[in-house]
Each structure stands twice: as structure tokens, then as C-alpha cells.
Amino acid sequence: MPASRDASLRIKALDLANAALTGLLVALQTYVEASKAPWAGPLEARIWDYLVDATERRKLPFPSLG
């Protein structure tokens, strides 16, 4: 799959593009979770790995208050 090019690097534009891609991933995950196909389990695991990793990358450090 060829890489996409963002029309703008403004935060708002990137947020909109990210929201669209997240929507596609949620739709794919919904389909995969309902599938009984042999490829569904490994793909679902990869989706969850991505979601966990993406959450970790977005964590903000919270300094100790002690």
C-alpha cells in the first residue's frame, strides 16, 4: 500500500485525517471480531497491539507530587 500524503501539516488537518483512519480501524476491528475466519484471530491481536501501543505513545508524563 503506498504511503499517503497529507494535504496540510496543520494540527487540525492532521487530527481530521487521524480521526478518519481511526474510524476505518474501528470498522475493521468490528468486522474482524465478528469473523470466524482463520485469519481473524491474528489480525484482531495485531489491531489490539496497535491500539495499546498508540495509547502508550500518547500518555503524558505526570510528575510525582511528593
Side-chain angles (χ1 to χ4, degrees), residues 6-59:
D6 292 306
S8 169
L9 295 180
R10 293 182 181 268
I11 298 296
K12 185 174 183 173
L14 294 173
D15 284 344
L16 288 171
N18 188 47
L21 292 171
T22 299
L24 289 172
L25 184 60
V26 168
L28 175 62
Q29 183 181 20
T30 301
Y31 177 79
V32 169
E33 286 179 349
S35 177
K36 303 284 188 226
W39 50 263
L43 182 54
E44 184 178 2
R46 288 187 66 189
I47 291 170
W48 275 109
D49 288 344
Y50 169 79
L51 292 172
V52 169
D53 290 345
T55 301
E56 287 295 318
R57 285 191 301 271
R58 287 179 174 80
K59 271 188 181 176

